[in-house]
Amino acid sequence: MRIVVTGGAGYIGSHTCVELLNGGHEVIIVDNLVNSHREVIERIAQITGERPLFYEADATSDLAVDLIFSTHQPEGVIHFAGLKAVGESVQVPLAYYRNNLLSTMVVLDNCLKHGVDRFVFSSSATVYGENQVPFVETMELGHRTNPYGETKAICERMLTDVAEVNPQLAVTLLRYFNPVGAHESGLIGEAPQGVPNNLMPYLTQVAKGVLGELQVFGNDYPTPDGTGVRDYIHVVDLAEGHVLALERAEPGVSIYNLGTGKGTSVLELVEAFEKANNLKIPYTITARRAGDIAECYADVRKAREQLGWTAKRDLTEMARDAWRFEQQTGKNNS
Ligand code: NAD
Ligand code: UDP
C-alpha cells in the first residue's frame, strides 16, 4: 500500500516507517520537524535500503495535505504528528489543542476528500485516566489530568463520530502504553530535546553521565515496591503493531491496546537496565510527580486475537537497545 505517515520523522513514526518499508509498502512522510530532524530520513533509508518520500510540511495546513494527497493518492494514513509533552501541555494548552486537534481534522478531512479509507491514529493509554488495571478497550474512559491527554480523547471521539457517518472508513485507534527502546541498528531512537521527562531516556542520560542521578518519583504507591508501575513496550514491537493494524483494517472503528500486558515498577526497570548493560544507575527517592497514577498496564487480548499481534521483545532488549542508541547516536541525532 501507499501510506502517508504524518510525524514519520519522530520516534515512533520513524520505526514504523522502517517496518512499513520492510513490509513492502510505499511511504510518504509528512513532518514539520518541530520535534525531529531531517537526518532521520537518511537513517531510515540506511536501515531499509529504501528512501521514503519526505515532505517538510505541517499537518495542520490544509493546503499542504491536500496537495500531498492529490499528488500521491495514498491508500492509508498513519497520523503520528502531534505534540506529546504532558508538562508542556499544561503550560501552553492552546498550542496542544491547536496542533493535535487541527492536524487530525485536516488529515481526516483530506481522507474523506481523496477517498483514503484507512486511518490509523496514535492514541495513548492516558485516555483511560485512573481506572482499574489492566486497562481494557471496552472501559469507560477516565478523567484526564492534562490537556495532552484531553487532545487524544477528543481526537478519538472525533474520529468515531466521523466514521459513523462514513461507513467506508476504517478508523483504528491505537492506545500505546510506554514505548521505549530503539532500533537494533542504533541509528534511530528517542532523542528528546532538553532534560527528558520520561524514565527510559532519563536513565540512558544518567548512564552516559549527562545527568547526575535518577529521581524516583515516589515510593509510597500501592504497588509491590511502592514505585509507579507501567507497561513498557519495545518501539519495534509497537511499529509492527501499526503495520498489522493497517493491513487488517476493517470499515468502522477498531480500538487496540498496544502494550505487553505486564506491569514493571520504576525500580524493576532500573534493575533491568543495570543488568542488561552491566552498569550502575545512582538514584534517590523523591516526592510523587503531580498527575502520575500508581499503575498502568494493558489487557492485550484484543490485539492478539484480532490482529495476531503480541509484543515479543523483553525488558532486557528494551534496555540494551535504548542504551546502544544513546551511546551511538543519541544527542547527535537531534
Ligand atoms: P515525536 O515527537 O518523536 O514524533 C512526533 C512527530 O510529529 C515529530 O517528528 C514532529 O516533528 C511531528 N509533528 C508534530 N506536529 C506536527 C505537525 N503539525 N505537522 C507535521 N509534523 C508534526 O513523538 P512520538 O513519541 O513518536 O509520538 C508519536 C505519536 O504517538 C504522537 O501523536 C504522540 O502523542 C503519540 N504517543 C506517544 C507516546 C510516547 O510515549 N512516545 C505514547 C502515547 C502516544
Ligand atoms: N519516573 C521517575 N523518574 C523520572 C521519570 C519518570 O520516577 O525521572 C516514573 C514516573 O513517575 C512513572 C514512570 O517512571 O511512574 C514512567 O514515567 P514516564 O514519564 O516515563 O511515563 P508515563 O508517566 O507517561 O507513564
Side-chain angles (χ1 to χ4, degrees), residues 17-291:
C17 288
V18 165
E19 296 310 318
L20 284 167
L21 290 165
N22 285 343
H25 298 290
E26 242 180 87
V27 171
I28 300 141
I29 295 177
V30 179
D31 199 306
N32 64 1
L33 304 181
V34 67
N35 196 36
S36 54
H37 297 269
R38 188 179 294 272
E39 177 63 20
V40 170
I41 311 298
E42 300 308 316
R43 292 171 187 270
I44 294 171
Q46 210 178 324
I47 293 169
T48 61
E50 296 273 340
R51 181 168 305 276
L53 278 178
F54 173 57
Y55 287 93
E56 184 176 344
D58 198 310
T60 65
S61 162
D62 187 53
L63 205 66
V65 175
D66 189 16
L67 188 63
I68 294 165
F69 276 36
S70 49
T71 306
H72 297 286
Q73 298 291 320
E75 289 149 284
V77 54
I78 308 184
H79 181 47
F80 290 105
L83 300 175
K84 63 161 183 177
V86 170
E88 186 184 60
S89 79
V90 176
Q91 301 305 319
V92 284
L94 194 53
Y96 274 68
Y97 285 112
R98 189 185 142 72
N99 194 61
N100 293 4
L101 302 190
L102 191 54
S103 63
T104 307
M105 287 180 206
V106 165
V107 174
L108 182 56
D109 202 22
N110 278 288
C111 283
L112 297 177
K113 184 169 167 190
H114 294 277
V116 181
D117 291 341
R118 291 166 199 249
F119 191 113
V120 177
F121 178 66
S122 291
S123 190
S124 166
T126 192
V127 299
Y128 289 110
E130 214 155 355
N131 242 312
Q132 187 65 36
V133 281
F135 297 162
V136 62
E137 291 89 343
T138 47
M139 270 176 172
E140 284 270 327
L141 299 189
H143 171 69
R144 271 84 53 192
T145 54
N146 57 74
Y148 166 72
E150 198 59 31
T151 67
K152 292 296 173 191
I154 296 171
C155 286
E156 282 202 1
R157 178 72 216 206
M158 183 163 74
L159 287 159
T160 304
D161 288 345
V162 172
E164 199 148 299
V165 288
N166 290 277
Q168 81 290 355
L169 256 192
V171 165
T172 308
L173 309 176
L174 299 179
R175 294 179 180 159
Y176 313 154
F177 282 69
N178 286 59
V180 296
H183 191 265
E184 61 175 8
S185 64
L187 289 171
I188 53 172
E190 189 173 17
Q193 292 165 4
V195 177
N197 295 306
N198 298 112
L199 181 56
M200 185 63 99
Y202 203 103
L203 276 179
T204 60
Q205 293 202 18
V206 171
K208 206 176 188 179
V210 178
L211 297 169
E213 64 177 9
L214 172 72
Q215 292 172 11
V216 175
F217 298 143
N219 67 349
D220 57 351
Y221 284 105
T223 61
D225 66 17
T227 66
V229 165
R230 297 289 183 276
D231 185 342
Y232 298 96
I233 171 168
H234 197 295
V235 65
V236 175
D237 279 322
L238 195 66
E240 289 171 356
H242 284 73
V243 178
L244 281 171
L246 189 73
E247 289 173 349
R248 308 225 169 145
E250 301 272 359
V253 178
S254 310
I255 306 177
Y256 299 104
N257 285 340
L258 296 182
T260 63
K262 195 175 164 296
T264 301
S265 75
V266 176
L267 294 181
E268 283 170 339
L269 190 72
V270 170
E271 198 188 325
F273 189 88
E274 290 181 330
K275 265 206 190 126
N277 297 312
N278 196 25
L279 39 77
K280 268 306 212 209
I281 298 291
Y283 68 84
T284 49
I285 308 284
T286 62
R288 290 182 180 191
R289 181 173 66 179

